[in-house]
Amino acid sequence: MEPTELIQDTPDLSRYLTADEVIDHDHPLVRETAAHLAKEAADSYAYARAAYEFVRDVIPHSADAEDPRVTWRASDVLGQRTGICHAKAHALAALLRAEDIPTALCYQRLRHDDGSGHVVHGLVAVRFHGAWHRQDPRGNKPGVAAGFSLDGERLAWLPDPESDEADYPTLYAAPHPDVLAVLKAAPDRSHLWRTLPAAL
């Protein structure tokens, strides 16, 4: 499969460093977590890998953990240690931006695990060596073995066009409004699971 050609929503890289309501890297908990991870990192690449592995491995995906709580703000994901793929992507973006690494949000359209239609899946892209590199911090499980890589993608899933799955090539500086709206409105994860968008 040919690699996806990623498209910035703006050529201004500073937008991929900003803090906002969701990617709140100015929050004390985000800053504290970033500082802790940075102490052990020799350079920005090592920090990016450490931040990725922290979000992937230390913060359980709420579906895998059967956790009913819904998080969407990066600081809440770090504080409550739970979230679905979108929330974990927000947390990773905040940790990376806290150390001045341009980070975008990006999406895939995938089949639901039970085969009942499609769902939008969230991940991030980091900017290194003049190029964007997608990373999926959703958390590994049997059949999913994602990893941090700047040399070829190691994502949780590769879309199957025959199943009407797809990579969305746009790199967003802020969460897609359709995704954010359902995250904010969901009282629990079971409701969220029923209302996540099937396409963007």
Side-chain angles (χ1 to χ4, degrees):
M1 177 180 292
E2 290 295 316
T4 297
E5 185 176 347
L6 301 175
I7 303 166
Q8 295 177 63
D9 68 348
T10 168
D12 180 7
L13 284 180
S14 68
R15 288 199 60 210
Y16 299 96
L17 291 168
T18 58
D20 59 25
E21 175 192 27
V22 180
I23 304 172
D24 58 340
H25 65 74
D26 50 359
H27 189 281
L29 179 57
V30 179
R31 289 290 180 184
E32 177 185 328
T33 305
H36 175 74
L37 293 169
K39 278 196 296 190
E40 304 297 323
D43 55 26
S44 60
Y45 172 79
Y47 172 81
R49 177 185 290 277
Y52 168 85
E53 292 176 352
F54 177 84
V55 174
R56 184 193 65 185
D57 300 339
V58 176
I59 300 172
H61 189 288
S62 56
D64 297 347
E66 299 184 354
D67 190 326
R69 294 174 295 169
V70 175
T71 53
W72 51 267
R73 183 180 286 115
S75 58
D76 290 337
V77 177
L78 296 177
Q80 298 182 41
R81 297 290 175 95
T82 189
I84 67 164
C85 59
H86 300 289
K88 293 184 69 171
H90 300 164
L92 179 55
L95 290 173
L96 294 170
R97 291 184 186 185
E99 290 295 312
D100 295 321
I101 298 170
T103 307
L105 300 171
C106 45
Y107 302 95
Q108 295 175 316
R109 172 181 161 90
L110 301 171
R111 295 283 294 178
H112 261 300
D113 289 341
D114 61 6
S116 60
H118 293 82
V119 67
V120 172
H121 175 61
L123 49 161
V124 306
V126 295
R127 182 85 174 183
F128 275 104
H129 312 309
W132 291 99
H133 307 271
R134 292 190 301 172
Q135 317 293 333
D136 191 339
R138 65 93 50 214
N140 290 337
K141 62 179 184 175
V144 175
F148 186 84
S149 176
L150 304 183
D151 182 24
E153 294 183 334
R154 293 180 54 199
L155 304 179
W157 293 285
L158 293 176
D160 177 8
E162 293 187 4
S163 297
D164 201 21
E165 296 181 334
D167 283 319
Y168 290 111
T170 302
L171 299 174
Y172 295 90
H176 192 285
D178 292 353
V179 171
L180 186 58
V182 297
L183 284 167
K184 285 184 169 184
D188 55 43
R189 185 177 49 80
S190 62
H191 182 276
L192 177 63
W193 233 233
R194 297 192 299 271
T195 55
L196 282 168
L200 296 179

